[in-house]
Amino acid sequence: MANGLQLLEAHIEQKNDAVEAFVADAEKIKKAIDKGSVKGRSPVKVENDSFYKFTLLNQPLKVEGKEKALDLVSKLISAAYDEKDTDFRKFIENTYGGASGSEGQQKRRGRKPKDQVQSRKSVDL
């Protein structure tokens, strides 16, 4: 009989940052196709009213028909979550930078704190 910790460890979900990033991109594409928002800054473009063009895993894809495009993206999402498909997961990790997360600190948007701002007087012209 296994104790509680062994049971818990057997069912802990292992997060993979690269797979999560891929799925987030794929969900954006799927949402854009489903809602029909394919103009402007959308990740999906429509060509000749029937071909959906988008980039996934740094690969330009062109799919004919809305249903086929939605089906393809859904199947790619399920394949990403399949731990047995190691080749596809390795490809995702190579494309999205592995499971290591962000290296260093990300740049923050907005104003810098006053102690980090370089004043004009201190800059040599």
Side-chain angles (χ1 to χ4, degrees):
M1 180 97 189
N3 66 15
L5 284 176
Q6 291 172 339
L7 286 172
L8 181 67
E9 289 175 359
H11 297 286
I12 292 177
E13 181 182 9
Q14 298 295 323
K15 292 271 184 179
N16 187 331
D17 293 339
V19 171
E20 296 299 324
F22 165 73
V23 169
D25 286 348
E27 288 291 340
K28 287 178 190 174
I29 290 170
K30 187 175 177 182
K31 184 178 176 182
I33 293 171
D34 195 34
K35 287 189 172 185
S37 57
V38 293
K39 295 181 180 176
R41 295 179 57 180
S42 172
V44 181
K45 303 295 178 204
V46 176
E47 188 176 275
N48 296 334
D49 293 331
S50 63
F51 288 98
Y52 287 85
K53 294 175 71 174
F54 50 91
T55 302
L56 198 56
L57 291 168
N58 292 336
Q59 304 293 322
L61 302 173
K62 184 176 179 180
V63 183
E64 184 178 5
K66 180 178 181 176
E67 296 304 318
K68 285 184 181 180
L70 287 171
D71 187 47
L72 172 69
V73 174
S74 296
K75 286 181 180 177
L76 287 173
I77 290 171
S78 2
Y81 281 127
D82 184 14
E83 293 181 3
K84 295 175 185 171
D85 192 358
T86 57
D87 294 336
F88 187 55
R89 288 185 79 127
K90 282 182 186 176
F91 186 72
I92 291 172
E93 288 172 2
N94 288 339
T95 305
Y96 282 89
S100 63
S102 63
E103 296 174 4
Q105 290 184 343
Q106 293 181 344
K107 290 187 177 181
R108 290 185 176 175
R109 296 183 71 177
R111 292 184 146 194
K112 291 183 180 180
K114 287 186 177 184
D115 60 340
Q116 293 180 4
V117 176
Q118 191 177 33
S119 67
R120 288 186 163 199
K121 293 178 183 177
S122 66
V123 177
D124 292 331
L125 297 176

